[in-house]
Amino acid sequence: MPTVLIVDDDPAILEVLRVYLRAEGHTVLEAQTGPDAWALLPRADLAVLDWMLPGMTGVQLARGARAAGLSLPILMLTGRGEEDDKLLGLDGGVDDYVIKPFSPREVTARIRALLRRAGVHHTLTLGDLTINLRARDVHLAGVRVELSKLEFDLLSTMAQHPGMAWSRERLLERVWGPDFPGTERVVDVHITALRRKLGDPPDAPRFLEMVRGVGYRFRDEDAPRAIPG
């Protein structure tokens, strides 16, 4: 699993982020000062930096990382929400912002998105569902779920983009290929099979939900439930 460096001089923030990140399976590195963080940056796959730090600011760390050729994603935690401050950070190499006070669930969701974008996340952990993209394994509550190739491709395609609505036509093209001669009905058949194997009832979906008039999406755990279809 990816290694996440969290840097903040507030021990309470370090503790809450450590708990949430470890629950998602991440290896966590911690620092409370800029110089300590600088020493740990080469070991991290992603860094969460506070703006104001003893010895070196988060923006200075980000600039230093980019100047040193480090391409890891950087998420900034800051109480400075003004546009000029955000632009200063973005120009310095910051990839995303979360304004304090923040929800730990929002921070972990943004970390997941940054890791996916960077191609670091080989294993998706979504609640008690784990999808290993390299090994093409799926486990639910620790129990292996046997899926066909197409079922795995369909599930992993949507799970890498929680909350994104996919039309049946787009799923056909992405999973079955642009030259597939069948109809969109095959998507419904495979969604039904996936729901059965995942114990995911259509009237109260945990993972795969219908988007009326569009198609399907993998449910974002931070979003409200859609009306079941």
Side-chain angles (χ1 to χ4, degrees):
M1 292 296 288
T3 297
V4 177
L5 169 63
I6 49 177
V7 187
D8 202 295
D9 58 354
D10 185 339
I13 289 178
L14 289 178
E15 181 178 4
V16 70
L17 289 179
R18 180 195 316 126
V19 169
Y20 272 79
L21 289 170
R22 285 182 176 171
E24 295 210 349
H26 298 297
T27 299
V28 177
L29 303 175
E30 300 176 28
Q32 292 184 273
T33 70
D36 287 345
W38 178 252
L40 292 173
L41 273 173
R43 296 169 50 191
D45 294 307
L46 179 144
V48 180
L49 308 178
D50 187 23
W51 183 292
M52 299 301 297
L53 292 167
M56 189 184 303
T57 69
V59 173
Q60 288 173 324
L61 274 171
R63 285 178 176 164
R66 299 307 184 222
L70 298 178
S71 59
L72 77 167
I74 296 175
L75 175 66
M76 184 73 77
L77 303 178
T78 178
R80 307 165 69 112
E82 291 79 8
E83 182 179 7
D84 287 346
D85 290 326
K86 290 183 178 180
L87 292 174
L88 179 65
L90 292 170
D91 288 341
V94 174
D95 295 287
D96 199 2
Y97 270 91
V98 174
I99 305 299
K100 295 181 177 180
F102 58 81
S103 159
R105 294 176 68 190
E106 180 187 359
V107 173
T108 54
R110 288 180 182 270
I111 287 172
R112 288 196 301 269
L114 286 171
L115 288 171
R116 284 196 302 269
R117 196 180 309 158
V120 175
H121 229 328
H122 305 304
T123 301
L124 306 177
T125 302
L126 305 133
D128 57 356
L129 181 68
T130 302
I131 304 171
N132 188 314
L133 300 175
R134 277 186 169 176
R136 296 181 65 84
D137 280 339
V138 176
H139 288 79
L140 180 62
V143 179
R144 182 183 173 91
V145 180
E146 296 291 341
L147 300 180
S148 70
K149 178 185 180 300
L150 284 171
E151 288 168 349
F152 180 87
D153 290 344
L154 181 59
L155 177 64
S156 61
T157 294
M158 291 191 291
Q160 289 180 76
H161 305 278
M164 178 186 292
W166 295 79
S167 68
R168 292 171 178 83
E169 179 182 6
R170 190 177 179 197
L171 286 170
L172 269 181
E173 182 174 348
R174 177 69 69 89
V175 177
W176 280 265
D179 299 324
F180 178 70
T183 69
E184 295 179 358
R185 174 62 181 161
V186 72
V187 176
D188 300 316
V189 171
H190 280 75
I191 289 288
T192 298
L194 278 172
R195 282 173 165 170
R196 183 179 65 253
K197 292 182 178 183
L198 296 174
D200 196 30
D203 57 342
R206 294 179 56 212
F207 305 118
L208 304 172
E209 66 180 357
M210 177 177 285
V211 182
R212 289 185 176 176
V214 180
Y216 297 96
R217 67 180 164 208
F218 192 97
R219 192 169 175 272
D220 185 341
E221 62 183 10
D222 295 324
R225 289 186 183 272
I227 299 172

